[in-house]
Amino acid sequence: MSAVTEPSEFIVEQNERALKELPFANTTDQQDADRGFIAKLEPGIIKDDKGNTVWDDESYGFLQGSCPSSVHPSLWRQSGLVVKQGLYEVVPGIYQIRGLDLSNMTIIEGDTGVIVIDPLISAETAKAGMDLYFAHRGNKPVTGMIYTHSHVDHFGGAMGVMTTEDAESGKIPVIAPAGFLEHAVAENVFAGTAMARRAAYMYGAALPRGPKGQVGAGLGQTTSVGTVTLIAPTLDITHTGQTETIDGVEIAFQITPGTEAPSEMNFYFPGFRALCMAENSTHTLHNLLTLRGALVRDPHVWSQYLTESINLYGRDSDVVFASHHWPTWGTETLVEYLELQRDMYAYLHDQTLRRLNQGYVGTEIAEMMEMPPALADAWHTHGYYGSVSHNVKAIYQRYMGWFDGNPAHLWEHPPVENARRHVEFMGGADEVLRKARQSFDEGDYRWVVQAVNYVIFAEPENKAAQELQADAFEQLGYGAENGPWRNFYLSGAYELRNGKFGTPTEPNSPTVMAALSVEQVFTGMALRLDGPKAWHEKATSDWHFTDENRTVRLQLRNGVLLHWERREGDGLPAADVSFTLDRPTLIGVLLGGQDLQAAVQGGKIKIEGDVASFGKLTTLFDNPDPDFSIVTP
């Protein structure tokens, strides 16, 4: 294990310049982040029932000191705000648990109990938050739960708040925007392994906490690593203007699909004059394409929904709060805050399109983009989580795709072959490293990591290249205002020095898997099929679902696994084999590790026909790799 580097003179100078140029005299956010504080969790450590630590706020105690030269002062400021944890009063009757996970959990006091908004990532952190609230506000029954959108940090702790039986019995309504379950499950299953591996880089999950390691992620400190759960919604919000009264609390909803999540909503509490903006307006420039991977978000519609929020509810609100960060109080102040957030997404979208139509490509536009003074001067528009650079590239990708129009880029060699040719053309690995060290000494770290990356992919065992790359990654991390950028750079350096750390979190928790639809189960199977291995195989099966009263055909042909719902009298030839079962049994046997033979013997599955034909199909799947390489080939 090699030692990490010290910040170079170039990074020290850059960070000192930022300290002088940015508006650090403006301490409004510090005042707002402390406003309404009631109590903190003591100690700020949460463990699971096996004694494993799933959240450790104490590990960030170093943030109480002055900003070191190895951290961008703006990111240090943001982390110092986000790390504040405990129970806070937003207004009488509305409380937030902050700093006990990546996200906030909000608690609304109703006539007889409490309505919980966004129960964090893990059941353990959600329960700890609820216990903290009960200790200071008294024990009250949970009378409703609301998911603002379909990302795991807003539903994963559901079973730390209530039980599945409470929802299924109708005792406690679980409210979510239409499409929530489909998107929540699909994101965590279809590309879950790859997203989780990259999320480990994005949130710096394996990095040591400290001035040369993980200091936060901009949106929150990091992700908890407890038990991810999911309770299916029982009430869908389908349209803007829909109003529901839960435990005496009137709530007016605004549907905002295609913004920060495919399924998302804001909502207004007229009795409290309080507006919840979900994750559509936080104290940072958000991601249009998160570095862990996702569908590209639409900044144009995002800005339009923010205008709608202002016009529908903003001017009738005394406070606006969200599922991350701290609230903003005062009608005039919060409207200006929402307007600047709106202007930020609109400006990025419109100016990227303007340059795109002049023939510039995404990487060029990202370097050209300069934000208006009013936006640059506001702390909450800084790129702590999203960044101007990668958001501009995301907008380009949304409209134009991966290809920049230059035929030279149409059919490039894949990374390893590309690297070998580059290194050969540049005079061999030793010559590339000699020149790269010179660039390092000159502070040109962006070029160093690009050039040395060729050597690493051409000669994976070249230790000198790995050391130099790690050194350059660390310098780029020390200079990054953006939390995920810092974490990506430092995680890359960590793996080059110490080996791969894999995926610290489990992307496919049992309760998330249990929420899969039949179609999603079969789609997930199709995504794991080894196509070339299955080219010449054929198999057809019918699946009769007793709990849904329907039959789905599964057919293998030409290396593709297809499925569709059968209709009565469709005239299709008989299947090779037919299964009769319910959806939970399907999930348990195909995805949950349950034994097929035991399910048959126990009467959970009835089989007619040639079961060996399906057995042959099961040999054609491969498994995702949660430890795949990122900074090495």
Side-chain angles (χ1 to χ4, degrees), residues 231-307:
I231 296 176
T234 60
L235 174 60
D236 284 348
I237 304 302
T238 60
H239 61 278
T240 294
Q242 184 173 338
T243 301
E244 303 290 341
T245 299
I246 307 297
D247 192 19
V249 178
E250 183 183 358
I251 313 171
F253 293 92
Q254 177 199 11
I255 291 293
T256 64
T259 52
E260 189 271 337
S263 173
E264 189 150 359
M265 63 184 182
N266 304 323
F267 38 94
Y268 178 63
F269 297 93
F272 295 100
R273 287 180 58 85
L275 174 59
C276 175
M277 290 301 294
E279 205 167 320
N280 287 322
S281 183
T282 55
H283 290 269
T284 180
L285 167 60
H286 213 294
N287 286 300
L288 297 180
L289 178 54
T290 176
L291 300 184
R292 66 178 167 80
L295 299 177
V296 180
R297 298 158 187 173
D298 186 347
H300 181 60
V301 73
W302 196 330
S303 68
Q304 290 179 320
Y305 280 125
L306 286 172
T307 296

Side-chain angles (χ1 to χ4, degrees), residues 176-505:
F180 166 88
L181 197 60
E182 175 188 355
H183 291 296
V185 173
E187 179 165 298
N188 285 278
V189 175
F190 290 173
T193 300
M195 284 186 179
R197 171 73 169 118
R198 282 171 48 162
Y201 265 58
M202 180 171 172
Y203 295 108
L207 293 175
R209 308 284 193 264
K212 292 182 182 176
Q214 208 267 11
V215 301
L219 191 67
Q221 286 306 94
T222 188
T223 54
S224 64
V225 291
T227 307
V228 175
T229 60
L230 174 62
I231 296 176
T234 60
L235 174 60
D236 284 348
I237 304 302
T238 60
H239 61 278
T240 294
Q242 184 173 338
T243 301
E244 303 290 341
T245 299
I246 307 297
D247 192 19
V249 178
E250 183 183 358
I251 313 171
F253 293 92
Q254 177 199 11
I255 291 293
T256 64
T259 52
E260 189 271 337
S263 173
E264 189 150 359
M265 63 184 182
N266 304 323
F267 38 94
Y268 178 63
F269 297 93
F272 295 100
R273 287 180 58 85
L275 174 59
C276 175
M277 290 301 294
E279 205 167 320
N280 287 322
S281 183
T282 55
H283 290 269
T284 180
L285 167 60
H286 213 294
N287 286 300
L288 297 180
L289 178 54
T290 176
L291 300 184
R292 66 178 167 80
L295 299 177
V296 180
R297 298 158 187 173
D298 186 347
H300 181 60
V301 73
W302 196 330
S303 68
Q304 290 179 320
Y305 280 125
L306 286 172
T307 296
E308 185 177 65
S309 300
I310 295 165
N311 292 335
L312 285 175
Y313 312 119
R315 296 182 179 88
D316 293 323
S317 299
D318 294 327
V319 64
V320 60
F321 64 92
S323 300
H324 296 272
H325 301 149
W326 50 94
T328 298
W329 286 269
T331 304
E332 184 177 343
T333 301
L334 73 84
V335 168
E336 172 67 8
Y337 159 73
L338 292 173
E339 288 176 339
L340 287 175
Q341 286 273 304
R342 182 266 320 276
D343 296 348
M344 172 178 66
Y345 295 113
Y347 187 87
L348 285 172
H349 174 269
D350 296 351
Q351 295 307 304
T352 300
L353 267 291
R354 179 175 71 88
R355 293 295 192 182
L356 178 157
N357 282 310
Q358 292 172 344
Y360 294 101
V361 300
T363 51
E364 292 173 318
I365 303 169
E367 295 297 314
M368 300 164 69
M369 186 67 70
E370 185 175 3
M371 300 301 281
L375 296 179
D377 291 343
W379 283 117
H380 64 84
T381 60
H382 278 238
Y384 301 116
Y385 192 54
S387 76
V388 169
S389 179
H390 74 254
N391 278 346
V392 165
K393 295 165 190 170
I395 297 168
Y396 185 92
Q397 177 181 322
R398 180 177 179 86
Y399 284 94
M400 304 300 289
W402 64 269
F403 180 45
D404 64 6
N406 185 337
H409 302 148
L410 187 58
W411 192 30
E412 293 182 343
H413 288 285
V416 171
E417 291 304 316
N418 194 330
R420 288 174 180 167
R421 285 163 171 78
H422 272 79
V423 170
E424 179 184 353
F425 269 50
M426 289 188 286
D430 291 343
E431 179 63 11
V432 175
L433 293 180
R434 184 189 70 78
K435 293 178 178 178
R437 289 189 183 95
Q438 181 178 341
S439 295
F440 185 95
D441 292 340
E442 296 170 352
D444 192 359
Y445 307 119
R446 290 174 67 182
W447 175 242
V448 172
V449 298
Q450 183 177 344
V452 175
N453 191 64
Y454 292 134
V455 179
I456 290 174
F457 274 69
E459 299 181 6
E461 303 305 318
N462 192 314
K463 298 300 182 183
Q466 292 184 17
E467 288 293 330
L468 181 56
Q469 187 78 324
D471 290 350
F473 277 159
E474 284 163 355
Q475 296 304 315
L476 288 168
Y478 296 158
E481 182 184 29
N482 182 275
W485 280 39
R486 178 185 174 92
N487 292 334
F488 255 85
Y489 285 131
L490 297 187
S491 293
Y494 185 94
E495 289 203 335
L496 287 168
R497 297 193 190 283
N498 305 291
K500 292 183 287 186
F501 51 67
T503 302
T505 57

Side-chain angles (χ1 to χ4, degrees), residues 528-542:
R528 290 178 51 201
L529 182 71
D530 185 334
K533 189 176 179 180
W535 281 348
H536 304 295
E537 301 293 342
K538 292 184 178 181
T540 304
S541 55
D542 279 341

Side-chain angles (χ1 to χ4, degrees), residues 525-535 537 556 559-560 617 619-623:
M525 290 175 61
L527 298 177
R528 290 178 51 201
L529 182 71
D530 185 334
K533 189 176 179 180
W535 281 348
E537 301 293 342
L556 172 67
V560 179
L617 173 63
T619 67
L620 302 175
F621 297 108
D622 60 18
N623 294 311

